Amino acid sequence: MKYRDRQGREYEQTTSQDSFLAAAYSSAMGRALMKFLGCPIFSKCARVILDSKFSVPFIFGFAEKNGIDMFDYEERMYRSFNDFFTRKIKPGRRFITKDKNLLVSPSDGKVTAYKITQSDTFIIKNAVYNTASLLRDSKLAKRYEGGYAVIIRLSVDDYHRYCYCADGVKSHNRKINGILHTVNPVVNNYLPVFKENSREYCMIRTEQFGDIIQMEVGALMVGRITNLHTEGGVKVTKGEEKGYFEFGGSTILLLLEKDKVKLCDDLLKNTREGFETKLLQGSVLGESLK
């Protein structure tokens, strides 16, 4: 994987997980195995284990292996591995600007940004995505022609609670059931992950940025999405907690309307050059064009 941070520093890292997934998805047998592992029944079994007290001994080794700085998080005893994975960060460890004209990242993660064509599509590696199939709503998808799709990929070392990216009024949540592929970028060479994975989204009606779709996508293993507000007509504020993911790498996807947001140049440049941009929750993604 190739990353850049906001200062332009470059990192290239291939983990054992990256190598395993590349090998698995490059063969028909491997893809069949990974499809089985992505079935909801497998994730339910994994959840039982990770919700139990017997998973507590895994926490220390996991944190150490993935370089998780526990100083950032609340100090307490964890009842299970998932209790640890959904831990809360200490106040002040993520900065959310109060400037209403700045759009922020709802989570930690690795970011890429893609233009949505007039035919409602955008391309990630070899996978072509159609916003109508992504949303399961062709009328709603038309609203985002010529806009942008911003993808924030969370890996296991990231903070897995997420917030609202802007002030506004949210719609009701829509859930789309599916399987749970890994969201590792290598898989986009073989499968349209975001069209097949379980996901949940709402629309946030804002004054500064138009109507934003904020979608949470589950991933391999557990990938459970827990949103705190499921009803519509709720006023929300930028930085307010929206929900959290349980164990597994996950993704948040933002759909932005045409001519509503000027995305930061580094996000677009890095994406064109094959890099993901590493950032933290609250980092600025763009500014209002109003």
Side-chain angles (χ1 to χ4, degrees):
M1 304 298 166
K2 298 196 299 182
Y3 311 112
R4 282 183 182 145
D5 61 20
R6 300 313 291 263
Q7 288 72 46
R9 293 186 291 255
E10 296 183 3
Y11 309 84
E12 189 159 0
Q13 181 182 18
T14 300
T15 66
S16 56
Q17 181 190 60
D18 297 334
S19 300
F20 169 75
L21 292 172
Y25 279 97
S26 64
S27 70
M29 184 176 295
R31 288 192 293 273
L33 173 62
M34 297 307 294
K35 188 170 184 178
F36 168 74
L37 295 179
C39 291
I41 187 64
F42 183 84
S43 289
K44 287 179 181 178
C45 293
R47 183 179 302 140
V48 170
I49 297 170
L50 297 178
D51 280 342
S52 75
K53 64 180 180 181
F54 301 108
S55 62
V56 170
F58 300 128
I59 293 173
F60 178 77
F62 179 88
E64 186 175 42
K65 180 180 178 182
N66 290 284
I68 297 171
D69 184 358
M70 294 305 295
F71 177 79
D72 282 347
Y73 300 97
E74 293 180 342
E75 296 177 14
R76 64 181 185 85
M77 298 294 292
Y78 296 106
R79 301 184 305 273
S80 68
F81 185 88
N82 260 334
D83 186 36
F84 156 77
F85 196 77
T86 58
R87 65 198 177 275
K88 289 188 175 184
I89 205 160
K90 291 177 182 175
R93 302 304 294 175
R94 294 292 183 270
F95 174 75
I96 309 291
T97 178
K98 295 186 182 300
D99 189 333
K100 292 184 179 296
N101 292 308
L102 296 179
L103 182 73
V104 303
S105 175
S107 70
D108 290 5
K110 290 79 179 171
V111 177
T112 49
Y114 304 89
K115 189 78 172 177
I116 302 171
T117 70
Q118 295 303 314
S119 58
D120 294 334
T121 60
F122 58 99
I123 299 173
I124 305 175
K125 295 193 180 285
N126 293 330
V128 178
Y129 289 93
N130 177 277
T131 50
S133 61
L134 187 71
L135 298 171
R136 301 279 176 90
D137 189 325
S138 57
K139 183 178 179 180
L140 180 59
K142 287 290 182 184
R143 192 174 301 183
Y144 298 94
E145 286 182 357
Y148 285 99
V150 179
I151 297 167
I152 305 145
R153 181 177 67 86
L154 293 79
S155 51
V156 293
D157 56 313
D158 289 315
Y159 180 44
H160 269 68
R161 288 180 179 263
Y162 48 86
C163 66
Y164 291 98
C165 59
D167 297 337
V169 178
K170 71 173 290 292
S171 71
H172 71 281
N173 286 16
R174 181 171 182 183
K175 292 185 179 182
I176 300 173
N177 293 325
I179 59 177
L180 294 170
H181 293 298
T182 175
V183 293
N184 189 292
V186 70
V187 185
N188 280 297
N189 288 316
Y190 307 100
L191 295 167
V193 173
F194 303 134
K195 289 192 293 188
E196 295 191 3
N197 277 26
S198 295
R199 53 200 185 275
E200 184 170 337
Y201 70 88
C202 71
M203 184 173 72
I204 306 170
R205 180 150 289 172
T206 76
E207 291 184 12
Q208 292 80 18
F209 311 106
D211 293 340
I212 299 171
I213 294 290
Q214 183 166 331
M215 174 183 287
E216 295 82 39
V217 183
L220 188 67
M221 285 297 287
V222 177
R224 181 195 285 172
I225 300 163
T226 300
N227 278 311
L228 305 180
H229 310 114
T230 58
E231 67 278 12
V234 177
K235 187 175 181 180
V236 299
T237 58
K238 178 167 60 181
E240 177 184 358
E241 187 168 279
K242 186 175 189 295
Y244 57 87
F245 294 106
E246 291 189 7
F247 179 69
S250 309
T251 292
I252 295 175
L253 190 147
L254 303 178
L255 297 182
L256 308 174
E257 293 181 287
K258 182 180 179 181
D259 298 330
K260 299 292 186 181
V261 182
K262 181 184 185 300
L263 288 178
C264 295
D265 292 336
D266 62 337
L267 301 180
L268 297 171
K269 178 176 182 290
N270 292 345
T271 300
R272 287 194 302 270
E273 296 178 357
F275 289 85
E276 293 179 301
T277 305
K278 295 180 70 170
L279 47 70
L280 298 177
Q281 182 185 75
S283 298
V284 174
L285 297 178
E287 61 181 329
S288 172
L289 284 172
K290 285 193 173 182

